[in-house]
Amino acid sequence: ASAVSARNLIKTYGTGDTEVHALKNVSIDFAVGAFTAIMGPSGSGKSTLMHTLAGLDTVDSGEIVVGNQTITGMSDNQLTKLRRQRIGFIFQSFNLVPTLTAHQNIVLPLELAGTRPDEAWLKEIVGILGLGDRLSHKPHQLSGGQQQRVAVARALLTRPDVVFADEPTGALDSATGAEVLSLLRRSAREMGQTIIMVTHDPNAASYADRVVLLDDGALHGELLDPTPQTVL
Ligand code: ADP
Ligand code: ADP
């Protein structure tokens, strides 16, 4: 089964002389529980693809299905609701709220959705991520790796079907990056989460089950099972 399915996506920015074909007829399926890395040179359309799949940006034509819902054509309100219910985001820049503690940051998406956190699940995630003694710290009191782990906990707490990770290790040293990537892989393997990650880093991509190559707005082939991993 596919968690996310995209058919014939076309996205063009600007008109006339400034026209940029960011996505040129892209079709791709992401299987439930698969960890996929999207790679490609700067300007190849990676961010555009990820943002349109996540319903943060619209396509000119084509169809995107997330779970059993066709999101192309949805209203902004419907998209916001879908993102809150089914999608988690992890950004290069962590995007934590500086005035809130780690715990408050982690539960923020649930609070915004008006739901109470599942305390047992929260405890489990915090344990897996080794954040137990950091929950009352504010972001500036945490290392980069700890901040990204808080962002991962926030993304996983709502049990989203799909997690989009945009250069999640871009701001981390390689050891901390490796930790975060192992966790993402575990959440795919053990929790059946579908993970779609954009990265420039071949080493980061080697943690994925599948690596998709974008070039100039089009898919340019893919690597299956990039490298057998010894970590984890
Ligand atoms: P990548 O993430 O691979 O660097 P992007 O998806 O950001 O690629 O960009 C794909 C192409 O679309 C690039 O040529 C970029 O300059 C262009 N582009 C992206 N966003 C915009 C925008 N908001 N307005 C105009 N052009 C854009
Ligand atoms: P960039 O690709 O320019 O570095 P980010 O990765 O920080 O930017 O954000 C990418 C996109 O995701 C932006 O369009 C932004 O509006 C959106 N975004 C940023 N933070 C969040 C968030 N916490 N929840 C939902 N969407 C977000």
Side-chain angles (χ1 to χ4, degrees):
S2 290
V4 179
S5 169
R7 286 286 160 273
N8 307 110
L9 302 187
I10 293 180
K11 173 83 178 177
T12 304
Y13 292 107
T15 51
D17 286 353
T18 61
E19 199 168 81
V20 175
H21 298 280
L23 296 179
K24 303 171 178 171
N25 202 21
V26 171
S27 296
I28 185 167
D29 285 286
F30 299 90
V32 171
F35 180 4
T36 304
I38 300 174
M39 295 194 78
S42 187
S44 59
K46 301 181 299 294
S47 302
T48 302
L49 178 60
M50 172 132 120
H51 292 165
T52 55
L53 294 175
L56 293 167
D57 197 359
T58 56
V59 286
D60 300 333
S61 65
E63 186 183 64
I64 298 168
V65 178
V66 175
N68 53 6
Q69 293 183 278
T70 302
I71 70 162
T72 29
M74 275 188 177
S75 68
D76 286 347
N77 282 344
Q78 287 174 306
L79 285 171
T80 302
K81 198 170 158 211
L82 174 112
R83 278 200 299 273
R84 284 188 182 158
Q85 289 174 345
R86 316 187 71 150
I87 296 178
F89 292 98
I90 299 166
F91 298 95
Q92 175 173 359
S93 51
F94 317 139
N95 283 10
L96 301 178
V97 181
T99 51
L100 299 182
T101 66
H103 180 266
Q104 289 168 330
N105 268 285
I106 292 168
V107 300
L108 188 61
L110 284 177
E111 299 215 324
L112 290 174
T115 326
R116 300 194 132 273
D118 171 344
E119 290 297 335
W121 178 230
L122 174 59
K123 219 172 194 172
E124 191 175 335
I125 294 176
V126 162
I128 291 173
L129 290 166
L131 287 169
D133 57 353
R134 291 287 182 277
L135 289 178
S136 59
H137 291 55
K138 300 223 169 120
H140 74 271
Q141 298 170 308
L142 300 171
S143 69
Q146 288 166 344
Q147 290 183 55
Q148 190 60 302
R149 281 185 269 156
V150 171
V152 171
R154 179 182 60 187
L156 298 181
L157 183 64
T158 56
R159 297 183 189 270
D161 299 330
V162 186
V163 174
F164 289 95
D166 190 358
E167 296 278 2
T169 58
L172 305 177
D173 63 64
S174 61
T176 313
E179 255 177 66
V180 168
L181 289 161
S182 295
L183 282 163
L184 289 179
R185 198 168 51 187
R186 269 179 71 177
S187 75
R189 300 257 159 94
E190 294 173 23
M191 302 179 237
Q193 229 131 27
T194 304
I195 299 184
I196 301 175
M197 169 177 79
V198 165
T199 185
H200 277 99
D201 177 4
N203 186 49
S206 73
Y207 283 75
D209 303 313
R210 175 189 180 204
V211 180
V212 174
L213 305 171
L214 255 189
D215 193 17
D216 197 19
L219 287 176
H220 238 250
E222 61 181 87
L223 313 167
L224 282 165
D225 198 9
T227 19
Q229 280 293 319
T230 47
V231 241
L232 225 186

